[in-house]
Amino acid sequence: MTAPDRTETGRTAPDHAVTAAIAEIAQAIGTAAVELDPEARERLSRDEYRMSPVLRRTLPVVVADAVVTPISVDDVVAVMRIAVAHGVPVTPRGKGTGNYGQAVPMAGGILLDLSRLTGIEEIGDASITALAGTRIVQLEQALRRDGRQLLLLPSTMQSTIGGFLAGGTGGSGSIEHGFIEDGFVLAIDVVLADGRGLVHLEGDDVLPYLHAYGTTGIIVRVTVAHEPERDWTSVLASFEDFAGARRALMALIALEPAPRIASTDMAEFGRAFPKPMTLHPDTASLRTVVDRSALEEVESIIASHGGVVERVEHSLPAEFQVCMLGFNHATWHLISAEPDRWFHAEAMGTALVERADEVLAVWPGAIQHLDAMRDRDGSPMPIGMIVAPYTTEAAIFEGVERLRELGLFASAPHSWTVNRRIDLLTETAAVTDPRGILNPGKLPRG
Ligand code: FAD
């Protein structure tokens, strides 16, 4: 298997169109919202793609001509009207934590920084409405004051809710509630690039805008679901033997009520974690957030698989620390410590546990982080981050093929094009963005 096709791009709009658009935008929403400083443009034209040694080498590096920072929905509507009229590319950006270069403006033009389009507008009985640049942690904190919680939280809790819906998949809460397409998103307001401006969407109509990297429209307002909070307790445990930790994780997947998150990793990961979360440098670790009513059962699961409970804490900060070390965050700490050494691949399926030795043999020196997850029918479906020393791009993609032969859903996060529901997104973008100005290069177009 070779690397997937990539939609190459470079600057697509003529200089005079870009210059005219920037001048009109400054006039429409104010010069303070338009950043032209080269250092700021360069810095904001990047995201966390540096996690991938492949993307560090292959991602077309283009710097936006201007960073535009709207503070109201009307600002976004005005910017999009001008950009459409001039055919100038617009790449939305939340907090820039995407790790595939999704928020990199590969065709230059305007980088639309949505991080100041913030504010919680309404908290209903089971829904919360906020502007797209609001940080997810702020939504969660506001809900927790009322005894409620978001259904889903990515480990990047400081990222924006709009960026999570446009670039993310799931996180804490996913064991019980699945991914962002599974009922979390109740409504969105989107600014389209087809002259219609702002539209309100509900139900299945939101789907073409989820995990679409902003290629179908700019999300400006979201309404997502919340539920009663649980009496959460954080449990940290160490295991001499990672096989025991893996089996304990599988038992936690079946636990009722479901843990909010459960993660385990080999000792190498723990050594790169922030100090309070490193247990022992030479043991595997397991972290979970569970309902207090299940604590005794959890302690017994850990002990019966050879683990030692190191810490039990009943506080919001402790819970957030565990949530912020799941999924790609464990990988991020490891790779950030030695960026030239590692690459990572993602996989889902029970073979991560049942055929663990074969999985780890795919790449020499591979190590593993696992998160608990259930399939839609409730059966265990662990998610794994496999990290290994980087040799060549071909070796990564050959290894991903081998993981699939082992029965896993596997992907290598080393490509910047959208990777899910491509037909739906392409059909939608043909209508909502006929000039192809939204985040060019991320969606194959016919
Ligand atoms: P950005 O990275 O700025 O943008 C993400 C994508 O959405 C880009 O394509 C951008 O163009 C587009 N976009 C941004 N805002 C909008 C908008 N308002 N309208 C339309 N398009 C928009 N993801 C998970 O799902 N779960 C995790 O647990 C998780 N953990 C992560 C851990 C680490 C260490 C890293 C580096 C990444 C992780 N991610 C995770 C991926 C990513 O960080 C999240 O999806 C995050 O929520 C993205 O939010 P952001 O505000 O940083 O968006």
Side-chain angles (χ1 to χ4, degrees):
M1 186 194 180
T2 53
D5 282 346
R6 289 170 172 142
T7 309
E8 302 295 346
T9 188
R11 293 185 188 279
T12 51
D15 287 351
H16 65 84
V18 175
T19 306
I22 293 171
E24 278 181 43
I25 289 169
Q27 203 169 24
I29 69 169
T31 50
V34 180
E35 178 63 80
L36 299 174
D37 172 61
E39 187 278 323
R41 288 189 286 122
E42 167 108 32
R43 179 171 41 83
L44 291 164
S45 296
R46 304 283 171 267
D47 63 11
E48 290 289 337
Y49 74 84
R50 68 190 172 86
M51 277 180 74
S52 158
V54 177
L55 291 180
R56 282 208 300 275
R57 197 171 47 77
T58 57
L59 188 78
V61 176
V62 180
V63 174
D65 295 285
V67 178
V68 174
T69 307
I71 56 171
S72 70
V73 171
D74 287 348
D75 284 355
V76 179
V77 173
V79 171
M80 288 304 295
R81 181 177 40 75
I82 294 164
V84 170
H86 290 279
V88 170
V90 176
T91 299
R93 184 184 203 272
K95 227 11 198 152
T97 64
N99 51 307
Y100 319 131
Q102 303 103 300
V104 171
M106 283 167 40
I110 291 158
L111 185 73
L112 192 65
D113 177 355
L114 293 149
S115 62
R116 291 186 59 208
L117 182 68
T118 58
I120 295 173
E121 296 188 328
E122 192 181 343
I123 302 185
D125 288 347
S127 67
I128 181 165
T129 301
L131 293 174
T134 313
R135 287 181 299 133
I136 296 160
V137 67
Q138 290 175 325
L139 303 186
E140 179 73 1
Q141 282 166 335
L143 290 171
R144 296 299 279 266
R145 285 194 284 274
D146 288 346
R148 310 282 301 181
Q149 62 183 29
L150 286 171
L151 261 52
L152 297 178
L153 282 176
S155 68
T156 40
M157 286 171 64
Q158 299 290 346
S159 65
T160 67
I161 186 68
F164 179 42
L165 301 193
T169 43
S172 296
S174 281
I175 302 173
E176 199 168 359
H177 300 297
F179 296 121
I180 53 173
E181 299 91 348
D182 297 329
F184 175 51
V185 186
L186 303 174
I188 51 175
D189 287 356
V190 189
V191 181
L192 306 178
D194 61 359
R196 268 183 288 170
L198 185 67
V199 297
H200 176 79
L201 302 166
E202 295 179 6
D204 284 353
D205 290 344
V206 305
L207 294 177
Y209 303 88
L210 304 186
H211 203 76
Y213 302 178
T215 56
T216 47
I218 309 290
I219 301 170
V220 289
R221 182 180 282 112
V222 314
T223 301
V224 290
H226 57 80
E227 62 182 351
E229 75 173 340
R230 292 236 178 86
D231 193 7
W232 292 124
T233 299
S234 307
V235 181
L236 277 68
S238 61
F239 288 76
E240 290 290 339
D241 176 14
F242 186 55
R246 279 194 298 251
R247 287 192 299 271
L249 187 90
M250 290 297 271
L252 289 175
I253 295 178
L255 190 73
E256 291 296 348
R260 199 166 200 206
I261 187 168
S263 317
T264 183
D265 23 57
M266 295 169 87
E268 288 85 345
F269 285 91
R271 290 200 282 272
F273 288 167
K275 278 286 164 279
M277 301 306 275
T278 306
L279 298 175
H280 303 290
D282 299 318
T283 58
S285 54
L286 181 145
R287 299 168 300 283
T288 185
V289 173
V290 296
D291 192 291
R292 206 201 294 236
S293 65
L295 183 56
E296 229 172 88
E297 194 179 344
V298 171
E299 289 175 329
S300 142
I301 287 171
I302 290 169
S304 66
H305 291 96
V308 176
V309 174
E310 302 276 353
R311 216 179 294 162
V312 175
E313 285 188 48
H314 191 74
S315 73
L316 198 58
E319 180 192 330
F320 282 3
Q321 274 181 329
V322 174
C323 291
M324 290 194 295
L325 259 193
F327 300 90
N328 243 330
H329 250 96
T331 318
W332 183 86
H333 286 292
L334 185 81
I335 293 180
S336 298
E338 287 180 282
D340 292 327
R341 181 172 174 199
W342 304 105
F343 75 92
H344 77 293
E346 298 176 6
M348 267 178 91
T350 50
L352 286 164
V353 174
E354 287 158 5
R355 304 181 73 174
D357 291 344
E358 290 166 274
V359 169
L360 288 173
V362 164
W363 291 288
I367 53 175
Q368 209 183 27
H369 163 95
L370 294 174
D371 291 288
M373 181 68 191
R374 291 178 187 159
D375 208 351
R376 287 204 168 93
D377 66 4
S379 55
M381 182 60 71
I383 297 179
M385 306 289 168
I386 300 153
V387 180
Y390 177 61
T391 53
T392 63
E393 187 175 348
I396 297 179
F397 288 100
E398 279 160 24
V400 167
E401 198 55 38
R402 175 79 189 117
L403 292 179
R404 291 181 183 148
E405 286 162 14
L406 291 173
L408 292 165
F409 299 101
S411 65
H414 306 284
S415 170
W416 53 84
T417 52
V418 289
N419 51 11
R420 301 204 326 237
R421 298 172 297 130
I422 294 171
D423 290 347
L424 175 67
L425 302 191
T426 310
E427 277 164 32
T428 306
V431 176
T432 61
D433 178 26
R435 297 191 72 172
I437 65 165
L438 287 173
N439 206 352
K442 308 297 163 45
L443 183 64
R445 288 175 191 261

